[in-house]
Amino acid sequence: MAAREEVRETEVCIIGAGAAGGIMALELARRGIRVVVLESGPRHDLARRGDYSRRFVKGENPWESPLAGIDRHTTGGSVGYRLEWHRARGVGGSTLHWEGTALRLHTDDFRMRTLHGMAEDWPISYEEIEPYYGKAERALGVAGTPDDPWASPRSTAFPLPPFPMSFSDGFFAGACRKLGIALHHLPQARNSLAYGGRSQCRACGTCHVCPTGAKASTDLTHIPQAEATGHADVVTDATALRLEVDRSSRVRSVVYAGADRRERRLSARIFVVAAGGVETARLLLLSASPDFPRGLANRSGLVGRYFTSHPSIDVTGRVAARVYPYRIGFSTAMSGQFAVPRDRQRRGAFFLEFLNSAGPLPGQIAPVSGAWGTALGQRVKAEFGRTLGIRIYAEQLPDNSNTVTLSAGVTDYFGNPAPHITYGIGPYERAALEGAREVAVKILAALGAEGIRSGALGYAAHQLGTHRMGSDPAQSVVDANLRAHDVPNLYLVGGGCFVTVSASPPTLTIAALAIRTAEHLAEVYRGQGAGRRSHRSGSPAAGAIR
Amino acid sequence: MLTLLLLWRPQRLARLVSRRFKPRLDATAPGVLSTREMETIVAFAAVLVEGRELDAQEASYVVEHVTDKAGKTPGYLALYRKTAGLLDRLAGAPFSSLSLERRIGLMVQHRFTEYDVRIREYLLPWGRETLTVRALAVPDLIRGYYFSPAGWAAVGYRAFPGRCGDLMRYTSAEA
C-alpha cells in the first residue's frame, strides 16, 4: 500500500478516542486548540445499545470489530493474555465496556522504590495528581463517599452520592466486622442520580454494555462536547498504521486507513497517541525509521516492555440463605484494607470486591439438573441465588520479560504485524493472590459458606506499563507530562505510561493524567504560539515543545 | 485390554469412550427450519421445560433460541431437523398434533426426558438417533429456554440482566 493523499492538517492529532484520547480531545478543544481524533472503530450510538445489550446477554461480544483480522494477536509466556473481551474499538474505546470502578491510587503507590526498594517511583506524586483526580471524578460523574479508611486524602467531594450497599453486601459486612476487615463503598463512574445530561442507572444488569448511558464512557461524557466546541473532528474507522518523522526527529504525519485499506495521511504539529497499552506500543514499533530503528520513541528499548495487568481470581461459596444476585451489573462494596500492605516487599497488594452477581444462572442450572417438566422449574428456583463471591485483584510488579512486540508471522487486516503479547506472573503476584484467597476464604467461612472454591486465574482488561513514564530517558519512554523523551512533539497517554500499577483499576488515573497532560500541552502550545515558553519547574507546563 | 483399563483406570476409560462415541454436532451449514419442524420442536420443548403447554410468549423464547442457533451455529439446523423428524416418525403423525399427555407418554417411553446420558450408553449399537437427541438437543433446548426471560421468571425475577427496572431493588430481598 502506498500513501496516496494528504487529506488534512491540524494542530493536534489524537490517535484513539477512549478514556485518555476522548478526555484530551475535550480538554484541548475547549481551549480553542484545533484537534482531529482518529478512531479505529465506529461510533456505537446509544440508540443501538438496547440491541447490543440483548446480544451481550446471549454471550456475544457486541463491541467486536466487523473487520476480520483487525484484532488478530498472538500470545506467549506462562499466562496467555488474550485481548478478546478485553478491549473495544470505537468512539469511547475501553470505556464502552469497562466496569466503571473509579478508584484513585494510594500515596504509597507512587513511591514503590523509595518505600519498598522495588520497581521504580513515579516521576509525580499523589499530591501532584490529586487535584486532577477531583477533575476526573467530576468529568466522569463518580458516585462515592469517603468511607475507605485506607484511602489517601482527597480535597474534593465525590460529585454524586454512593450507590447504596446491596442486599448481599449485608452478609459480607457482618462477616467482615467479625474479622476486623473494613468493608466500604466502591466508587463508581455511573450515575446514582441523573448527572451530566445522562440518566440515573436503571439496573439493567449488563454493564459491559450500558444501554442507558448511565455509566460514564467518553463517547457520551467528552467526545460530543469536544465536537460541539467546533474545534474537534472525530474521524471514525481510521486505523493509524504508522507515524512518520521529519529530519529533526519530530512526527510529521500519521498514515491511516479504513476498511477500504486505502492509506491517507494527516499532518499535525503535535501528536497524541492514546490507543491503549497494546496498540500504542505496536504503533510505535510499526513506526521504525532510520532515525528510530527499534521503533519510534524507543531509544530506551522500553517501548512494549513491562506489560502489566492485574491478576484476578474469584472465590465463591454456597450459603443457606438466598442472596438475590444478578439484579445489578456492578459491585457496590469493596475492601481497600490490603491495598497498601506492610509486607509489600514480599507480596503484592490486593483489593477485594464483594460481588453482587455470583453463582450459576438459571440457564446454567437447568440443563445439568437432570429434571424436566414442572420439577425443572422448581429445581432451578431452589438452586438459584445461594452463591456469594469475592473477586480479588492483585498487584503485579513490572517485569521486563512481559512484553508487547510485533508478531513474527501473523498480520492484521491491513497486513501489518499483529501484536504479540508475552505475559506471565511470578512469586510476588502468586503470594498476593494466595494471601487474598486466604482472606476471602475466611470471610466466606465466617458466613457459613460451603463448597468454597477458587476460580481459575484470570487477568483484568487493564493493559499497562508499555511506555512508562520517568525522569531518566534511559529507563522510561515518556516524561512526567507524558511527552516522549525522544520525540518532542509526541505524547503517549493512557495506561501504558504507568510505572507501577497497584491493585486498583487504572481508568480514573488514566483520566486524571490525561487532564493533566492536556493542561500542560495547552499551556505549552499557547506559549509557543505567543512566542513565549514556560519554564516553571515542576509545573505541568514545564518544557516547551522544541 | 479393556477389562484391564476398566479396573486400573476407570476414569480414563470413561474419557476415552466419551471422546470416541459421544454424539457430536456435525459441521453442516446453518439455515432455517420449516414451520412444521419448528412446531414439533416447540411441542417437544414445552414438555421438557414446563411439562405443560407454553403460552405464546414462552413459545416465542423457544422459537427465538432455535432460530438463532439454527441460523448461526453450524450443526444445529441438522440437529433440530433430526429431532423433529424422529419425533414425527415415532408419533406416526405431526408430533405437535398430539395431546400433551400423549407427548409426555411418548417422550418418557423413549427416554427423551433422561438427558443425563450414561457413558455406557454411548457404546450401544442401537438407538443412536434417540441418543443424539437426548445428549444434545434436549439440554440445548432446556438451556436456551432458561437463559431467556422464562428462566428469570422461574426464580421470581421480573427484571434481570438485559431488562432494566427499579434501581433500588437490589438493596433488599425480593418481595
Side-chain angles (χ1 to χ4, degrees):
Chain A
M1 285 191 297
R4 292 187 182 175
E5 50 185 318
E6 302 266 345
V7 287
R8 46 207 315 183
E9 203 171 310
T10 187
E11 291 176 324
V12 177
C13 167
I14 299 174
I15 297 166
I23 287 170
M24 287 206 64
L26 175 58
E27 293 293 327
L28 295 173
R30 68 159 42 132
R31 290 173 170 86
I33 297 172
R34 181 89 212 140
V35 175
V36 172
V37 183
L38 299 182
E39 169 50 53
S40 176
R43 288 181 196 267
H44 298 279
D45 295 336
L46 190 58
R48 286 154 55 194
R49 300 285 169 83
D51 178 51
Y52 281 29
S53 174
R54 280 186 287 279
R55 289 171 55 196
F56 173 68
V57 167
K58 288 181 180 176
E60 295 176 28
N61 180 5
W63 307 117
E64 205 168 63
S65 173
L67 291 187
I70 196 169
D71 285 322
R72 202 172 283 147
H73 60 284
T74 55
T75 62
S78 60
V79 181
Y81 190 104
R82 304 289 310 177
L83 294 173
E84 293 90 354
W85 292 90
H86 279 65
R87 64 176 181 179
R89 285 180 199 268
V91 176
S94 290
T95 61
L96 292 167
H97 72 76
W98 74 314
E99 290 179 17
T101 304
L103 287 169
R104 297 176 172 205
L105 299 189
H106 190 275
T107 307
D108 291 0
D109 294 331
F110 295 85
R111 301 191 300 151
M112 287 288 284
R113 167 64 63 184
T114 301
L115 295 174
H116 306 292
M118 309 189 77
E120 300 293 336
D121 287 350
W122 289 51
I124 56 172
S125 65
Y126 176 81
E127 289 69 30
E128 284 173 278
I129 198 177
E130 198 282 331
Y132 297 97
Y133 272 133
K135 290 179 185 184
E137 286 168 347
R138 283 193 296 282
L140 296 172
V142 176
T145 189
D147 62 349
D148 175 0
W150 309 93
S152 294
R154 48 186 303 130
S155 61
T156 50
F158 284 99
L160 284 168
F163 284 90
M165 297 277 183
S166 70
F167 180 72
S168 58
D169 290 339
F171 292 88
F172 288 120
C176 286
R177 217 171 10 251
K178 275 190 218 161
L179 295 167
I181 295 168
L183 176 143
H184 50 86
H185 287 86
L186 179 55
Q188 291 286 344
R190 54 169 53 78
N191 287 353
S192 56
L193 300 171
Y195 180 84
R198 295 177 292 115
S199 69
Q200 184 189 39
C201 173
R202 291 178 52 215
C204 305
T206 58
C207 296
H208 188 83
V209 178
C210 176
T212 65
K215 181 183 76 176
S217 54
T218 55
D219 62 316
L220 304 174
T221 55
H222 288 78
I223 293 289
Q225 294 83 331
E227 291 174 306
T229 64
H231 297 295
D233 286 332
V234 178
V235 184
T236 56
D237 300 303
T239 301
L241 304 178
R242 61 186 177 276
L243 295 160
E244 298 175 324
V245 291
D246 61 19
R247 286 180 188 164
S248 58
S249 294
R250 298 168 59 91
V251 180
R252 184 183 63 228
S253 52
V254 56
V255 177
Y256 66 97
D260 62 3
R261 295 191 176 90
R262 202 174 81 177
E263 291 191 353
R264 297 164 174 85
R265 186 175 276 121
L266 171 68
S267 300
R269 288 180 64 188
I270 295 167
F271 286 83
V272 177
V273 186
V278 172
E279 292 300 334
T280 293
R282 181 166 77 120
L283 180 61
L284 297 174
L285 296 173
L286 288 171
S287 304
S289 66
D291 248 12
F292 296 98
R294 289 197 289 177
L296 185 61
N298 194 24
R299 290 191 175 129
S300 65
L302 296 180
V303 168
R305 297 235 163 239
Y306 300 110
F307 173 69
T308 316
S309 187
H310 291 116
S312 173
I313 54 172
D314 288 356
V315 183
T316 56
R318 189 176 158 78
V319 291
R322 287 189 185 283
V323 299
Y324 302 105
Y326 298 105
R327 296 187 295 174
I328 49 170
F330 57 95
S331 300
T332 39
M334 63 169 285
S335 177
Q337 185 162 335
F338 310 93
V340 278
R342 283 191 295 269
D343 58 349
R344 213 167 176 182
Q345 293 94 333
R346 192 178 67 77
R347 71 175 185 192
F350 58 87
F351 97 83
L352 305 176
E353 177 183 340
F354 299 99
L355 299 174
N356 286 327
S357 298
L361 299 160
Q364 292 166 317
I365 296 168
V368 296
S369 68
W372 64 279
T374 49
L376 178 56
Q378 289 161 3
R379 183 77 62 84
V380 170
K381 188 169 185 181
E383 287 287 317
F384 176 75
R386 298 182 192 276
T387 301
L388 285 171
I390 300 172
R391 180 159 297 160
I392 293 159
Y393 286 108
E395 177 179 35
Q396 178 163 32
L397 275 187
D399 178 346
N400 193 24
S401 62
N402 285 337
T403 57
V404 174
T405 53
L406 298 180
S407 173
V410 176
T411 55
D412 70 2
Y413 177 84
F414 300 99
N416 281 324
H420 179 77
I421 300 167
T422 304
Y423 182 71
I425 63 170
Y428 188 79
E429 293 77 29
R430 289 192 194 285
L433 289 168
E434 185 49 33
R437 200 189 63 79
E438 283 171 16
V439 174
V441 167
K442 271 186 200 163
I443 294 169
L444 289 167
L447 285 163
E450 293 176 347
I452 298 172
R453 55 186 291 272
S454 306
L457 171 67
Y459 41 81
H462 309 147
Q463 293 121 30
L464 311 167
T466 54
H467 46 85
R468 67 181 188 174
M469 66 164 96
S471 308
D472 180 357
Q475 294 299 322
S476 56
V477 178
V478 295
D479 66 16
N481 292 315
L482 308 189
R483 182 161 69 172
H485 289 302
D486 303 339
V487 186
N489 69 334
L490 176 64
Y491 288 78
L492 309 173
V493 300
C497 70
F498 280 39
V499 183
T500 52
V501 303
S502 84
S504 299
T507 305
L508 191 70
T509 304
I510 291 171
L513 287 170
I515 295 170
R516 183 174 182 274
T517 295
E519 275 187 17
H520 152 81
L521 217 162
E523 201 165 326
V524 166
Y525 196 87
R526 273 199 305 268
Q528 196 175 47
R532 63 179 170 79
R533 291 180 179 185
S534 169
H535 294 287
R536 283 182 292 133
S537 174
S539 82
I545 293 167
R546 296 181 291 273
Chain B
M1 181 67 184
L2 272 177
T3 312
L4 284 175
L5 202 58
L6 181 62
L7 289 172
W8 286 350
R9 298 272 183 84
Q11 285 179 339
R12 191 168 170 192
L13 178 64
R15 274 201 306 273
L16 201 74
V17 169
S18 184
R19 205 163 43 229
R20 175 72 183 83
F21 298 103
K22 188 178 178 181
R24 282 187 176 74
L25 289 172
D26 52 35
T28 50
V32 183
L33 284 177
S34 70
T35 305
R36 178 171 159 170
E37 287 167 333
M38 185 63 88
E39 283 169 357
T40 298
I41 295 292
V42 171
F44 181 54
V47 175
L48 293 170
V49 299
E50 297 284 3
R52 59 168 169 74
E53 301 294 0
L54 302 179
D55 65 29
Q57 182 68 69
E58 290 166 336
S60 76
Y61 300 141
V62 177
V63 171
E64 187 182 340
H65 169 73
V66 170
T67 305
D68 216 37
K69 272 288 185 66
K72 287 181 182 167
T73 312
Y76 275 93
L77 177 66
L79 175 66
Y80 296 140
R81 284 217 161 120
K82 182 182 279 187
T83 304
L86 175 63
L87 290 167
D88 285 352
R89 209 163 58 243
L90 292 172
F95 182 78
S96 59
S97 68
L98 302 188
S99 68
L100 180 68
E101 289 69 28
R102 281 198 61 200
R103 273 184 276 148
I104 292 173
L106 196 70
M107 286 170 60
V108 171
Q109 181 192 343
H110 292 278
R111 301 176 62 206
F112 288 115
T113 51
E114 296 173 38
Y115 54 93
D116 184 14
V117 179
R118 307 279 175 208
I119 288 174
R120 62 175 176 272
E121 293 184 72
Y122 297 154
L123 296 170
L124 297 176
W126 60 85
R128 194 72 193 162
E129 207 175 6
T130 308
L131 190 74
T132 301
V133 172
R134 285 170 57 206
L136 298 179
V138 172
D140 168 75
L141 291 169
I142 290 174
R143 186 183 300 112
Y145 184 77
Y146 276 88
F147 264 115
S148 79
W152 293 107
V155 299
Y157 280 18
R158 282 191 301 268
F160 42 81
R163 185 177 291 175
C164 314
D166 167 28
L167 172 60
M168 289 302 137
R169 173 174 156 249
Y170 76 92
T171 59
S172 55
E174 286 289 287

